[in-house]
Amino acid sequence: MQPNDARILRGSALVAAPVGAVAVIASAVLAGSHGLIGGLVAVAVVGVFFAGGSYALMRITENRPQVAMTAGMLVYAVQILLIGVFIVAFNGTSAFSGRAFGLSLLVTALAWVGGQVKQSLTSRMLYVDPEPSVPALKREADAVGTGSRDAT
C-alpha cells in the first residue's frame, strides 16, 4: 500500500467515524433500541464496503496506475450494488429500524466519500515519475552522439 493511499483511507475513516457515531446516537434517541441496532449495522456496512473497496482499488492500481479511473468507477459501482443487495435482503426485517438504518447509512457513506475527496484534494501526490527512465549520463551521451545541441 502506497503512503498516499493509506493517508486517503485513514482520512476517510476519520471523517466518517464521528458522523457515524452521531448517526448511531441520533438513531438510538429517535427510534430506541431498534434504531441503535440499525445505526450500528449501517456504520458497519459503510465501514466494511467502503474500506474494502478502497483497499481493492489500491491493490488494483498499485502496479497499473493507468487503470485508476476505470477501476475506481468499477469499485464504486460494485460498492453501491452490494449495499443495494444488502438493503433488499434486509427489507422488512424486525431486527432493526429500517429508517434509522437507511439514514445512518446515507450520512455515513456521504461522509466517507467526502473524506476521500478532501484527502485526495489536499494530499501532495506526484503526477510524474521523479526518477528519469533513462539515466542522465546516458541521455547526454546519446545527445552528443546524435549531434543534438541539447547536451551543450
Side-chain angles (χ1 to χ4, degrees):
M1 181 182 303
Q2 296 186 9
N4 288 332
D5 295 335
R7 196 174 312 121
I8 290 171
L9 183 61
R10 187 173 42 254
S12 301
L14 288 175
V15 170
V19 171
V22 168
V24 168
I25 292 169
S27 296
V29 168
L30 296 174
S33 63
H34 286 291
L36 174 68
I37 295 169
L40 288 172
V41 170
V43 170
V45 166
V46 168
V48 168
F49 286 130
F50 280 80
S54 295
Y55 180 74
L57 183 61
M58 289 176 219
R59 295 287 296 172
I60 292 169
T61 60
E62 187 173 18
N63 295 324
R64 295 176 302 274
Q66 65 273 17
V67 300
M69 180 59 92
T70 305
M73 296 298 287
L74 179 65
V75 165
Y76 188 71
V78 169
Q79 286 173 339
I80 299 303
L81 179 69
L82 289 175
I83 288 174
V85 167
F86 187 88
I87 290 170
V88 169
F90 287 95
N91 187 22
T93 185
S94 61
F96 54 82
S97 168
R99 180 167 289 166
F101 169 77
L103 292 174
S104 298
L105 182 91
L106 179 66
V107 297
T108 308
L110 289 175
W112 183 281
V113 172
Q116 277 184 324
V117 169
K118 178 196 169 287
Q119 285 300 117
S120 296
L121 292 176
T122 58
S123 67
R124 295 184 178 188
M125 291 188 287
L126 296 172
Y127 294 101
V128 295
D129 188 9
E131 296 179 21
S133 58
V134 179
L137 293 176
K138 180 161 175 33
R139 280 187 294 170
E140 289 177 8
D142 289 345
V144 171
T146 60
S148 173
R149 295 185 310 210
D150 293 337
T152 58

